[in-house]
Amino acid sequence: MSTSCATVRTECLNSVGNRLAVPARINHFRGKCELNRRNFALNGIVAAGASVMTPSVVAEPSKGLDKLPFKPEGYNYWTWRGHKIHYVVEGEGFPVVLIHGFGASAFHWRYNIPELAKKYKVYAVDLIGFGWSEKALIDYDALVWRDQIVDFLKEIVKEPAVLVGNSLGGFTALVAAASLTDQVKGVSLLNSAGQFGDASSAAKETEETEETALQKLILKPLKEIFQRVFLGFLFWQAKQPARIKSVLKSVYKDSSNVDDYLIDSITRPADDPNAGEVYYRLMTRFMSNQRKYTLDSVLRQLSCPLLLLWGDLDPWVGPAKANRIKEFYPNTTVVNLQAGHCPHDEVPELVNKALLDWLSTTVTPASSLETVSEV
Protein backbone atom coordinates (compact mmCIF):
# COMPACT_ATOMS: atom_id res chain seq x y z
CA MET A 1 0.00 0.00 0.00
CA SER A 2 1.23 3.23 -0.42
CA THR A 3 -0.86 4.46 2.08
CA SER A 4 0.13 4.90 5.35
CA CYS A 5 -0.44 1.41 6.03
CA ALA A 6 1.33 0.42 3.12
CA THR A 7 1.70 -3.11 2.90
CA VAL A 8 -0.12 -5.10 0.66
CA ARG A 9 -0.33 -8.62 0.37
CA THR A 10 3.28 -8.16 0.13
CA GLU A 11 3.49 -8.95 3.59
CA CYS A 12 3.45 -12.28 2.48
CA LEU A 13 5.84 -10.76 0.17
CA ASN A 14 7.64 -13.85 -0.42
CA SER A 15 10.72 -12.31 0.56
CA VAL A 16 10.31 -9.01 1.26
CA GLY A 17 6.70 -6.17 0.73
CA ASN A 18 2.63 2.11 -2.95
CA ARG A 19 -0.43 0.18 -2.48
CA LEU A 20 -3.64 1.46 -3.92
CA ALA A 21 -6.34 -0.87 -3.65
CA VAL A 22 -9.18 -2.83 -4.73
CA PRO A 23 -10.66 -5.14 -2.17
CA ALA A 24 -9.17 -8.57 -2.41
CA ARG A 25 -10.29 -11.83 -0.97
CA ILE A 26 -8.53 -12.40 2.34
CA ASN A 27 -6.77 -15.68 2.77
CA HIS A 28 -5.62 -16.84 6.17
CA PHE A 29 -1.94 -17.27 6.85
CA ARG A 30 -0.93 -20.84 6.19
CA GLY A 31 2.29 -21.23 8.06
CA LYS A 32 4.15 -19.98 5.06
CA CYS A 33 3.38 -16.81 3.20
CA GLU A 34 2.00 -17.36 -0.24
CA LEU A 35 1.76 -14.44 -2.62
CA ASN A 36 -0.80 -14.48 -5.37
CA ARG A 37 0.51 -11.94 -7.85
CA ARG A 38 -2.93 -11.04 -9.16
CA ASN A 39 -4.30 -10.40 -5.69
CA PHE A 40 -1.19 -8.43 -4.85
CA ALA A 41 -1.80 -6.20 -7.84
CA LEU A 42 -5.43 -5.76 -6.89
CA ASN A 43 -4.50 -4.78 -3.37
CA GLY A 44 -2.40 -2.22 -5.02
CA ILE A 45 -1.31 0.73 -2.96
CA VAL A 46 -3.24 0.73 0.17
CA ALA A 47 -2.44 -0.92 3.36
CA ALA A 48 -3.77 -2.81 5.97
CA GLY A 49 -4.57 -4.17 9.10
CA ALA A 50 -7.39 -5.79 10.32
CA SER A 51 -9.09 -8.47 11.93
CA VAL A 52 -10.55 -11.65 12.89
CA MET A 53 -8.70 -13.48 15.61
CA THR A 54 -8.40 -13.73 19.34
CA PRO A 55 -7.13 -10.52 20.92
CA SER A 56 -3.84 -10.29 22.77
CA VAL A 57 -3.42 -6.69 23.90
CA VAL A 58 -6.05 -4.02 23.42
CA ALA A 59 -5.91 -0.21 23.26
CA GLU A 60 -7.77 2.69 21.73
CA PRO A 61 -5.52 3.93 18.93
CA SER A 62 -4.25 7.49 18.65
CA LYS A 63 -6.38 8.97 21.43
CA GLY A 64 -4.58 12.10 22.69
CA LEU A 65 -1.30 11.31 20.94
CA ASP A 66 0.82 13.99 19.30
CA LYS A 67 0.83 13.65 15.53
CA LEU A 68 3.51 14.50 12.99
CA PRO A 69 2.28 17.60 11.07
CA PHE A 70 1.39 16.74 7.49
CA LYS A 71 3.47 18.77 5.04
CA PRO A 72 2.45 18.49 1.37
CA GLU A 73 5.98 19.55 0.38
CA GLY A 74 7.62 17.00 2.68
CA TYR A 75 10.32 17.57 5.27
CA ASN A 76 13.98 16.91 4.39
CA TYR A 77 15.63 15.63 1.23
CA TRP A 78 18.83 13.73 0.55
CA THR A 79 20.34 12.91 -2.83
CA TRP A 80 21.15 9.22 -3.19
CA ARG A 81 22.65 7.90 -6.41
CA GLY A 82 21.28 10.97 -8.19
CA HIS A 83 17.76 10.46 -6.83
CA LYS A 84 15.80 12.63 -4.39
CA ILE A 85 15.02 10.83 -1.11
CA HIS A 86 12.61 12.20 1.50
CA TYR A 87 13.03 11.78 5.23
CA VAL A 88 11.87 13.17 8.57
CA VAL A 89 14.12 13.72 11.59
CA GLU A 90 13.07 14.77 15.10
CA GLY A 91 14.51 14.62 18.61
CA GLU A 92 17.95 14.05 20.09
CA GLY A 93 19.77 11.03 21.45
CA PHE A 94 20.35 7.48 20.26
CA PRO A 95 19.16 7.15 16.62
CA VAL A 96 16.06 5.13 15.71
CA VAL A 97 15.30 4.74 11.99
CA LEU A 98 11.72 3.97 10.91
CA ILE A 99 11.10 2.24 7.56
CA HIS A 100 7.57 2.13 6.13
CA GLY A 101 5.85 -0.71 4.32
CA PHE A 102 5.01 -1.30 0.68
CA GLY A 103 3.38 1.78 -0.84
CA ALA A 104 3.47 3.86 2.34
CA SER A 105 5.69 6.74 3.44
CA ALA A 106 7.32 8.37 6.45
CA PHE A 107 3.93 9.89 7.27
CA HIS A 108 2.67 6.43 8.19
CA TRP A 109 4.67 6.83 11.41
CA ARG A 110 2.64 9.95 12.26
CA TYR A 111 1.78 8.78 15.80
CA ASN A 112 5.16 7.22 16.55
CA ILE A 113 7.69 9.89 15.59
CA PRO A 114 6.63 12.56 18.14
CA GLU A 115 6.52 10.12 21.05
CA LEU A 116 9.78 8.33 20.27
CA ALA A 117 11.48 11.69 19.64
CA LYS A 118 11.00 12.62 23.31
CA LYS A 119 13.87 10.25 24.16
CA TYR A 120 15.60 9.41 20.88
CA LYS A 121 16.68 10.97 17.61
CA VAL A 122 14.09 9.60 15.21
CA TYR A 123 14.46 9.29 11.46
CA ALA A 124 11.70 8.14 9.10
CA VAL A 125 12.78 7.63 5.51
CA ASP A 126 10.77 7.11 2.33
CA LEU A 127 12.08 4.20 0.30
CA ILE A 128 12.87 5.08 -3.32
CA GLY A 129 9.75 4.68 -5.46
CA PHE A 130 7.42 5.40 -2.55
CA GLY A 131 6.04 8.39 -0.65
CA TRP A 132 7.80 11.70 -1.25
CA SER A 133 10.97 10.04 -2.54
CA GLU A 134 11.62 10.10 -6.27
CA LYS A 135 9.61 7.69 -8.42
CA ALA A 136 12.80 6.58 -10.11
CA LEU A 137 12.54 4.43 -13.23
CA ILE A 138 14.97 1.76 -12.09
CA ASP A 139 14.87 -1.99 -11.68
CA TYR A 140 13.37 -2.56 -8.24
CA ASP A 141 14.83 -5.27 -6.09
CA ALA A 142 15.05 -5.87 -2.36
CA LEU A 143 18.73 -5.00 -2.47
CA VAL A 144 18.01 -1.52 -3.89
CA TRP A 145 16.22 -0.63 -0.66
CA ARG A 146 18.86 -2.38 1.40
CA ASP A 147 21.57 -0.28 -0.24
CA GLN A 148 19.50 2.88 0.27
CA ILE A 149 19.15 2.26 4.00
CA VAL A 150 22.80 1.25 4.40
CA ASP A 151 23.90 4.49 2.72
CA PHE A 152 21.35 6.49 4.72
CA LEU A 153 22.91 5.17 7.92
CA LYS A 154 26.40 6.00 6.68
CA GLU A 155 25.72 9.43 5.18
CA ILE A 156 22.86 10.88 7.24
CA VAL A 157 22.70 9.07 10.58
CA LYS A 158 26.47 8.58 10.88
CA GLU A 159 26.37 6.60 14.15
CA PRO A 160 25.06 3.30 15.54
CA ALA A 161 21.27 3.03 15.34
CA VAL A 162 18.23 0.79 15.71
CA LEU A 163 16.10 -0.04 12.67
CA VAL A 164 12.31 -0.39 12.88
CA GLY A 165 10.32 -1.61 9.89
CA ASN A 166 6.78 -2.55 8.93
CA SER A 167 6.02 -5.07 6.19
CA LEU A 168 8.45 -4.48 3.31
CA GLY A 169 10.24 -2.04 5.58
CA GLY A 170 10.76 -4.87 8.06
CA PHE A 171 12.55 -7.07 5.58
CA THR A 172 14.53 -4.05 4.38
CA ALA A 173 15.61 -3.40 7.96
CA LEU A 174 16.76 -7.02 8.32
CA VAL A 175 18.87 -7.11 5.15
CA ALA A 176 20.39 -3.71 5.99
CA ALA A 177 21.23 -4.87 9.52
CA ALA A 178 22.85 -8.02 8.15
CA SER A 179 25.05 -5.82 5.95
CA LEU A 180 25.99 -3.35 8.69
CA THR A 181 26.40 -5.43 11.82
CA ASP A 182 28.70 -2.87 13.48
CA GLN A 183 26.30 0.07 13.04
CA VAL A 184 22.91 -1.58 13.61
CA LYS A 185 22.43 -2.33 17.30
CA GLY A 186 18.92 -3.70 17.14
CA VAL A 187 16.01 -4.39 14.79
CA SER A 188 12.27 -4.25 15.42
CA LEU A 189 9.82 -5.82 12.96
CA LEU A 190 6.13 -5.04 12.72
CA ASN A 191 4.42 -7.77 10.71
CA SER A 192 7.42 -8.06 8.44
CA ALA A 193 7.43 -9.24 4.86
CA GLY A 194 9.67 -12.11 3.82
CA GLN A 195 9.43 -15.86 3.82
CA PHE A 196 11.54 -18.77 4.93
CA GLY A 197 13.45 -20.78 2.36
CA ASP A 198 12.18 -23.94 0.79
CA ALA A 199 14.17 -26.36 -1.35
CA SER A 200 11.22 -27.13 -3.60
CA SER A 201 10.62 -23.44 -4.35
CA ALA A 202 14.31 -23.03 -5.20
CA ALA A 203 14.05 -25.89 -7.66
CA LYS A 204 10.91 -24.37 -9.16
CA GLU A 205 12.66 -21.05 -9.57
CA THR A 206 15.49 -22.74 -11.45
CA GLU A 207 13.00 -24.36 -13.81
CA GLU A 208 11.24 -21.06 -14.44
CA THR A 209 14.46 -19.36 -15.54
CA GLU A 210 14.70 -21.60 -18.60
CA GLU A 211 13.02 -19.83 -21.55
CA THR A 212 12.38 -21.23 -25.00
CA ALA A 213 12.74 -19.07 -28.14
CA LEU A 214 8.95 -19.00 -28.48
CA GLN A 215 8.51 -17.73 -24.92
CA LYS A 216 11.25 -15.12 -25.26
CA LEU A 217 10.32 -13.70 -28.70
CA ILE A 218 6.52 -14.00 -28.79
CA LEU A 219 4.81 -14.97 -25.56
CA LYS A 220 6.85 -12.73 -23.26
CA PRO A 221 6.19 -9.49 -25.27
CA LEU A 222 2.47 -10.34 -25.47
CA LYS A 223 2.39 -10.98 -21.75
CA GLU A 224 4.06 -7.62 -21.07
CA ILE A 225 1.50 -5.77 -23.21
CA PHE A 226 -1.36 -7.43 -21.35
CA GLN A 227 0.24 -6.70 -17.99
CA ARG A 228 0.72 -3.03 -18.84
CA VAL A 229 -2.92 -2.59 -19.85
CA PHE A 230 -4.25 -4.58 -16.90
CA LEU A 231 -2.00 -3.06 -14.25
CA GLY A 232 -2.47 0.44 -15.72
CA PHE A 233 -6.21 0.12 -15.22
CA LEU A 234 -5.78 -1.25 -11.71
CA PHE A 235 -3.44 1.57 -10.77
CA TRP A 236 -5.86 4.22 -12.06
CA GLN A 237 -8.77 2.64 -10.23
CA ALA A 238 -6.88 2.00 -7.02
CA LYS A 239 -5.58 5.55 -6.58
CA GLN A 240 -9.04 7.13 -6.49
CA PRO A 241 -9.60 8.75 -3.05
CA ALA A 242 -13.02 7.17 -2.61
CA ARG A 243 -11.61 3.71 -3.33
CA ILE A 244 -8.68 4.21 -0.98
CA LYS A 245 -10.96 5.37 1.82
CA SER A 246 -13.28 2.43 1.31
CA VAL A 247 -10.48 -0.11 1.34
CA LEU A 248 -8.77 1.40 4.38
CA LYS A 249 -12.02 1.31 6.31
CA SER A 250 -12.35 -2.35 5.47
CA VAL A 251 -8.86 -3.29 6.69
CA TYR A 252 -8.27 -1.08 9.72
CA LYS A 253 -9.56 -2.67 12.89
CA ASP A 254 -10.60 0.78 14.10
CA SER A 255 -11.52 3.01 11.16
CA SER A 256 -11.30 6.20 13.25
CA ASN A 257 -7.72 6.56 12.00
CA VAL A 258 -8.84 6.54 8.38
CA ASP A 259 -8.80 10.30 7.99
CA ASP A 260 -7.84 12.97 5.43
CA TYR A 261 -4.24 12.88 6.65
CA LEU A 262 -3.96 9.20 5.84
CA ILE A 263 -5.78 9.49 2.51
CA ASP A 264 -3.57 12.42 1.40
CA SER A 265 -0.41 10.54 2.34
CA ILE A 266 -1.44 7.91 -0.23
CA THR A 267 -3.02 9.91 -3.04
CA ARG A 268 -0.31 12.59 -3.38
CA PRO A 269 2.55 10.17 -4.19
CA ALA A 270 0.24 8.25 -6.55
CA ASP A 271 -0.27 11.42 -8.63
CA ASP A 272 3.42 11.58 -9.57
CA PRO A 273 3.84 11.24 -13.39
CA ASN A 274 6.12 8.23 -12.93
CA ALA A 275 4.01 6.50 -10.27
CA GLY A 276 2.18 4.28 -12.76
CA GLU A 277 5.42 2.99 -14.28
CA VAL A 278 6.93 2.38 -10.85
CA TYR A 279 3.82 0.44 -9.89
CA TYR A 280 4.14 -1.67 -13.04
CA ARG A 281 7.79 -2.44 -12.34
CA LEU A 282 7.04 -3.36 -8.75
CA MET A 283 4.18 -5.65 -9.75
CA THR A 284 6.20 -7.45 -12.41
CA ARG A 285 9.99 -7.34 -12.13
CA PHE A 286 10.27 -7.04 -8.37
CA MET A 287 7.57 -9.57 -7.64
CA SER A 288 9.13 -12.09 -9.99
CA ASN A 289 12.57 -12.23 -8.35
CA GLN A 290 11.82 -11.86 -4.66
CA ARG A 291 12.19 -15.57 -3.88
CA LYS A 292 15.95 -15.15 -3.98
CA TYR A 293 15.86 -13.56 -0.53
CA THR A 294 14.71 -15.59 2.46
CA LEU A 295 14.28 -14.85 6.14
CA ASP A 296 16.45 -17.74 7.24
CA SER A 297 19.38 -16.65 5.05
CA VAL A 298 19.20 -13.10 6.43
CA LEU A 299 18.66 -14.11 10.06
CA ARG A 300 21.79 -16.28 9.91
CA GLN A 301 23.79 -13.09 9.33
CA LEU A 302 22.09 -11.09 12.09
CA SER A 303 23.84 -10.58 15.43
CA CYS A 304 21.79 -7.91 17.25
CA PRO A 305 18.66 -8.13 19.44
CA LEU A 306 15.37 -8.52 17.57
CA LEU A 307 11.94 -7.24 18.68
CA LEU A 308 8.74 -8.46 17.01
CA LEU A 309 5.74 -6.17 17.50
CA TRP A 310 3.12 -8.36 15.89
CA GLY A 311 -0.49 -7.59 15.04
CA ASP A 312 -2.15 -10.95 15.67
CA LEU A 313 -5.20 -9.95 13.64
CA ASP A 314 -3.23 -9.52 10.43
CA PRO A 315 -5.05 -11.59 7.77
CA TRP A 316 -1.88 -11.88 5.69
CA VAL A 317 0.98 -12.36 8.14
CA GLY A 318 -0.33 -13.97 11.29
CA PRO A 319 1.39 -14.77 14.60
CA ALA A 320 2.65 -18.13 13.34
CA LYS A 321 5.30 -16.28 11.37
CA ALA A 322 6.47 -14.37 14.43
CA ASN A 323 6.70 -17.64 16.35
CA ARG A 324 8.79 -19.21 13.61
CA ILE A 325 11.17 -16.26 13.54
CA LYS A 326 11.69 -16.56 17.29
CA GLU A 327 12.36 -20.29 17.00
CA PHE A 328 14.93 -19.67 14.29
CA TYR A 329 16.52 -16.63 16.00
CA PRO A 330 16.45 -17.03 19.81
CA ASN A 331 17.67 -13.49 20.54
CA THR A 332 14.12 -12.33 19.86
CA THR A 333 11.46 -10.66 22.01
CA VAL A 334 7.84 -10.99 20.87
CA VAL A 335 5.01 -8.61 21.81
CA ASN A 336 1.61 -9.71 20.49
CA LEU A 337 -0.93 -6.98 19.78
CA GLN A 338 -4.61 -6.94 18.95
CA ALA A 339 -4.10 -5.24 15.63
CA GLY A 340 -3.79 -5.96 11.95
CA HIS A 341 -0.98 -5.51 9.50
CA CYS A 342 -0.02 -2.00 10.58
CA PRO A 343 -0.04 -1.98 14.38
CA HIS A 344 1.99 1.24 14.59
CA ASP A 345 -0.95 3.19 13.11
CA GLU A 346 -3.74 1.10 14.63
CA VAL A 347 -2.53 0.85 18.23
CA PRO A 348 0.31 3.42 18.35
CA GLU A 349 0.22 3.73 22.15
CA LEU A 350 0.98 0.05 22.58
CA VAL A 351 3.65 0.03 19.90
CA ASN A 352 5.33 3.15 21.30
CA LYS A 353 5.38 1.78 24.83
CA ALA A 354 6.69 -1.64 23.82
CA LEU A 355 9.38 -0.12 21.62
CA LEU A 356 10.48 2.38 24.27
CA ASP A 357 10.64 -0.35 26.94
CA TRP A 358 12.73 -2.59 24.67
CA LEU A 359 15.05 0.25 23.66
CA SER A 360 15.69 1.29 27.25
CA THR A 361 16.36 -2.21 28.58
CA THR A 362 17.87 -4.04 25.63
CA VAL A 363 19.56 -1.73 23.19
CA THR A 364 20.41 1.69 24.58
CA PRO A 365 22.35 0.60 27.70
CA ALA A 366 24.62 -1.71 25.73
CA SER A 367 25.24 0.94 23.13
CA SER A 368 26.03 3.53 25.78
CA LEU A 369 28.54 1.21 27.45
CA GLU A 370 30.27 0.63 24.13
CA THR A 371 30.52 4.39 23.60
CA VAL A 372 32.04 4.90 27.05
CA SER A 373 34.59 2.12 26.60
CA GLU A 374 35.66 3.59 23.25
CA VAL A 375 36.31 6.93 24.95
Side-chain angles (χ1 to χ4, degrees):
M1 118 180 153
S2 141
T3 164
S4 285
C5 193
T7 150
V8 223
R9 207 172 240 219
T10 294
E11 298 353 306
C12 270
L13 210 52
N14 282 281
S15 113
V16 213
N18 216 72
R19 239 185 217 216
L20 278 165
V22 181
R25 182 168 61 248
I26 293 176
N27 296 319
H28 292 292
F29 184 80
R30 300 176 179 170
K32 158 180 153 172
C33 256
E34 297 176 353
L35 177 63
N36 178 300
R37 193 173 303 170
R38 181 175 180 276
N39 284 344
F40 181 91
L42 287 173
N43 274 324
I45 258 181
V46 106
S51 73
V52 213
M53 289 172 77
T54 306
S56 303
V57 184
V58 189
E60 294 183 358
S62 69
K63 296 289 168 54
L65 284 183
D66 291 335
K67 182 167 59 176
L68 179 75
F70 183 77
K71 293 186 178 182
E73 71 280 9
Y75 278 77
N76 306 285
Y77 290 90
W78 162 58
T79 300
W80 178 68
R81 296 183 178 180
H83 302 297
K84 192 176 180 181
I85 302 299
H86 173 251
Y87 70 95
V88 176
V89 57
E90 286 195 2
E92 295 296 334
F94 188 85
V96 176
V97 181
L98 309 177
I99 310 171
H100 63 78
F102 192 87
S105 72
F107 289 111
H108 202 202
W109 302 99
R110 53 183 173 167
Y111 293 117
N112 314 109
I113 294 172
E115 188 66 22
L116 298 176
K118 293 176 181 178
K119 294 186 177 181
Y120 299 95
K121 188 169 187 177
V122 182
Y123 297 86
V125 59
D126 285 358
L127 296 175
I128 190 169
F130 297 117
W132 273 246
S133 285
E134 185 176 334
K135 306 302 174 290
L137 301 184
I138 60 177
D139 287 331
Y140 286 89
D141 180 284
L143 300 190
V144 168
W145 296 309
R146 177 202 66 180
D147 293 347
Q148 178 191 338
I149 296 302
V150 165
D151 289 344
F152 184 80
L153 290 171
K154 291 178 178 178
E155 298 178 23
I156 302 298
V157 180
K158 298 180 180 178
E159 58 182 312
V162 165
L163 302 182
V164 181
N166 169 235
S167 189
L168 168 63
F171 192 82
T172 300
L174 278 178
V175 292
S179 301
L180 271 186
T181 55
D182 291 338
Q183 191 165 348
V184 178
K185 300 303 179 181
V187 175
S188 179
L189 307 179
L190 295 85
N191 296 65
S192 178
Q195 71 174 18
F196 283 90
D198 174 348
S200 62
S201 65
K204 183 178 180 181
E205 181 178 359
T206 300
E207 294 174 7
E208 292 178 350
T209 58
E210 299 176 3
E211 288 185 328
T212 64
L214 175 65
Q215 291 172 322
K216 186 174 182 180
L217 300 177
I218 300 177
L219 299 182
K220 192 172 181 179
L222 288 175
K223 178 182 177 182
E224 181 173 347
I225 292 172
F226 173 77
Q227 286 178 327
R228 283 192 174 277
V229 173
F230 179 66
L231 291 174
F233 171 74
L234 286 181
F235 181 77
W236 173 84
Q237 185 183 51
K239 72 177 184 176
Q240 303 306 311
R243 171 66 72 181
I244 292 174
K245 185 173 183 179
S246 174
V247 174
L248 283 170
K249 283 194 170 185
S250 73
V251 298
Y252 264 57
K253 180 179 181 296
D254 183 340
S255 62
S256 63
N257 277 352
V258 179
D259 52 17
D260 290 341
Y261 183 117
L262 182 58
I263 301 300
D264 285 349
S265 74
I266 300 167
T267 56
R268 286 179 183 272
D271 285 336
D272 186 283
N274 288 340
E277 176 63 21
V278 170
Y279 181 78
Y280 171 76
R281 295 186 184 204
L282 287 167
M283 291 301 105
T284 54
R285 304 173 194 183
F286 167 63
M287 298 303 293
S288 66
N289 68 14
Q290 52 175 303
R291 284 177 299 186
K292 294 186 292 184
Y293 315 108
T294 62
L295 285 172
D296 42 308
S297 64
V298 177
L299 289 170
R300 287 192 185 96
Q301 303 173 58
L302 203 66
S303 59
C304 62
L306 181 63
L307 171 66
L308 305 183
L309 298 175
W310 220 264
D312 284 350
L313 308 183
D314 188 346
W316 303 326
V317 190
K321 184 175 185 180
N323 294 335
R324 188 172 180 189
I325 291 175
K326 182 171 176 57
E327 290 175 2
F328 190 92
Y329 192 77
N331 191 13
T332 298
T333 301
V334 181
V335 176
N336 299 99
L337 304 167
Q338 186 188 4
H341 192 69
C342 306
H344 57 295
D345 197 50
E346 292 183 42
V347 287
E349 297 99 330
L350 296 178
V351 168
N352 291 341
K353 182 181 185 305
L355 188 53
L356 286 169
D357 288 346
W358 178 73
L359 285 168
S360 65
T361 61
T362 307
V363 179
T364 309
S367 302
S368 300
L369 287 175
E370 289 176 11
T371 303
V372 172
S373 63
E374 289 175 2
V375 175

